[in-house]
DNA sequence: ATGTTGACCTGTAAGC
DNA sequence: TGCTTACAGGTCAACA
């Protein structure tokens, strides 16, 4: 379940095993992912990992000559396990490490990606990304100003990576509910005051989710496949027909831009 | 330019 | 039980 919080939880979970580790071997079992895995990935063999960072929903594994860039897509997972353990179905790439561990990329739907960005190079995928929602650069002014010409539904607007990164379908739904904003309202028909609240709720929801992911973090290294621990905190997502936690009217659902959307017609305007 | 839709791929659950 | 259909956490190219 890779929204921004899950990607960050993944990063926190595997980073301790990767920091300063040396890559001995790169195994590519399935190069056909979202984009073809670039052959340059092999140049990481024999090199030392510097650090693992995140930008939007991308994970960047830094080397002295460039970065490996992972994206988990809809179904991607990463795990660090003992080198001798067998590969599983949908394991597409392995990085064998010096420390008898390997980093494995698994992705049934193959919407994920593995790219290489040489030092000084700028991949198009990372070029036009908007601000990180949990950094200073994500301001109320930025949201308000960039919405002024947009008639698209506000939900589509906040899921646009050029506006702000990392807000996926679940958290777009949840943040709008908490801000009392109807997901279909045109982005340019929302006041600066309401964008202030929306910004605040996006930050709250993502931060809470990362914190909740901390539980998963602990058993991340051993058994893989952690359950949906966020679900207990969801107010609207997946709750069509169930009572709103505020007004107790049944929640509605509707497709917006091909994505299932949940909201309360009473509380969200 | 902006807004909307289709495509990529597999697994799972629901419906018949 | 088996077959068919709808849907799933994302993103981008190609349309109107």
């Amino acid at each position: 379940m890779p929204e921004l919080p899950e990607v960050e939880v993944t990063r926190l979970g595997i980073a301790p095993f990767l920091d300063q580790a040396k890559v001995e071997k790169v195994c590519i079992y399935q190069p056909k992912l979202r984009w073809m895995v670039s052959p340059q990935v092999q140049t990481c063999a024999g090199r030392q990992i510097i650090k693992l960072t995140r930008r939007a929903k991308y994970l960047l594994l830094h080397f002295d000559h460039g970065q490996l860039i992972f994206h988990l897509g809809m179904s991607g997972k990463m795990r660090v396990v003992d080198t001798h353990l067998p590969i599983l179905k949908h394991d597409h790439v392995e990085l064998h490490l010096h420390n008898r561990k390997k980093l494995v990329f698994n992705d049934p739907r193959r919407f994920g990606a593995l790219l290489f960005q040489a030092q000084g190079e700028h991949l198009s995928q990372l070029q036009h990304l908007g601000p990180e929602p949990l950094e200073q650069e994500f301001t109320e002014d930025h949201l308000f100003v960039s919405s002024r010409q947009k008639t698209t539904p506000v939900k589509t607007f906040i899921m646009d990576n050029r506006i702000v990164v990392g807000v996926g379908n679940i958290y777009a739904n949840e943040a709008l509910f908490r801000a009392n904003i109807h997901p279909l309202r045109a982005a340019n028909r929302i006041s600066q005051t309401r964008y202030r609240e929306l910004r605040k709720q996006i930050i709250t929801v993502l931060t809470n989710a990362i914190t909740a992911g901390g539980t998963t973090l602990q058993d991340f290294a051993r058994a893989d496949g952690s359950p949906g621990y966020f679900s207990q905190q969801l107010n609207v997502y997946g709750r069509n027909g169930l009572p709103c936690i505020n007004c107790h009217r049944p929640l509605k659902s509707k497709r917006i831009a091909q994505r299932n959307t949940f909201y309360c017609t009473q509380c969200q305007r």
Side-chain angles (χ1 to χ4, degrees):
Chain A
M1 38 163 114
E3 298 219 19
L4 183 147
E6 182 64 17
V7 177
E8 182 64 11
V9 167
T10 296
R11 188 183 74 79
L12 293 168
I14 63 180
F17 299 94
L18 304 179
D19 206 31
Q20 312 304 315
K22 186 177 169 187
V23 175
E24 288 192 328
K25 185 170 64 161
V26 179
C27 306
I28 301 170
Y29 304 114
Q30 171 56 280
K32 290 168 71 174
L33 304 180
R34 177 72 163 79
W35 298 282
M36 194 64 76
V37 174
S38 90
Q40 291 190 93
V41 166
Q42 287 292 352
T43 63
C44 297
R47 296 183 189 258
Q48 187 170 27
I49 294 168
I50 297 169
K51 61 182 174 180
L52 179 67
T53 62
R54 180 186 58 74
R55 172 73 174 110
K57 296 170 188 165
Y58 295 92
L59 288 172
L60 282 66
L61 195 59
H62 295 252
F63 296 85
D64 56 13
H65 71 313
Q67 304 96 40
L68 279 184
I69 299 178
F70 293 89
H71 195 291
L72 301 180
M74 295 274 261
S75 56
K77 289 190 172 63
M78 301 185 79
R79 65 183 196 275
V80 176
V81 294
D82 288 342
T83 309
H84 60 80
L85 289 182
I87 61 169
L88 306 176
K89 195 172 185 183
H90 305 304
D91 282 350
H92 304 316
V93 179
E94 288 184 337
L95 300 192
H96 288 246
L97 306 176
H98 205 57
N99 54 15
R100 297 181 165 212
K101 302 275 188 196
K102 61 182 180 182
L103 172 66
V104 188
F105 179 76
N106 179 291
D107 183 12
R109 290 180 73 179
R110 289 194 270 133
F111 285 178
L114 174 55
L115 304 166
F116 182 79
Q117 178 172 259
Q119 208 61 268
E121 190 185 356
H122 296 288
L123 292 186
S124 62
Q125 286 86 351
L126 302 177
Q127 278 278 18
H128 306 290
L129 295 175
E132 286 288 330
L134 302 182
E135 302 292 333
Q136 296 291 330
E137 54 189 8
F138 179 47
T139 63
E140 156 198 341
D141 277 352
H142 166 74
L143 263 191
F144 180 68
V145 169
S146 45
S147 69
R148 289 308 81 189
Q149 305 297 98
K150 310 261 189 214
T151 59
T152 199
V154 61
K155 179 175 182 246
T156 309
F157 176 69
I158 61 172
M159 290 180 70
D160 185 340
N161 272 340
R162 293 165 301 187
I163 305 303
V164 57
V165 301
V167 182
N169 195 35
I170 292 178
Y171 295 111
N173 277 296
E174 295 298 317
L176 287 167
F177 174 76
R178 297 172 66 121
N180 300 322
I181 298 173
H182 196 292
L184 276 174
R185 175 169 286 276
N188 65 355
R189 301 287 306 281
I190 294 172
S191 69
Q192 179 143 12
T193 307
R194 301 190 80 197
Y195 271 116
R196 181 178 310 146
E197 183 64 15
L198 181 55
R199 170 185 172 276
K200 182 178 143 193
Q201 295 303 338
I202 288 172
I203 293 169
T204 301
V205 142
L206 294 177
T207 305
N208 288 354
I210 292 172
T211 305
T215 314
T216 303
L217 197 55
Q218 309 220 320
D219 32 43
F220 201 97
R222 23 181 171 131
D224 52 316
S226 19
Y229 48 90
F230 294 143
S231 48
Q232 293 145 7
Q233 295 188 42
L234 299 179
N235 291 324
V236 288
Y237 186 82
R239 296 177 51 84
N240 184 31
L242 294 174
C244 169
I245 60 162
N246 294 332
C247 73
H248 309 295
R249 291 172 190 242
L251 296 173
K252 299 279 184 201
S253 87
K254 185 183 174 69
R255 288 190 92 73
I256 300 179
Q258 328 268 56
R259 315 301 300 276
N260 212 345
T261 305
F262 304 89
Y263 55 96
C264 174
T265 52
Q266 175 76 13
C267 299
Q268 295 174 257
R269 297 299 172 96

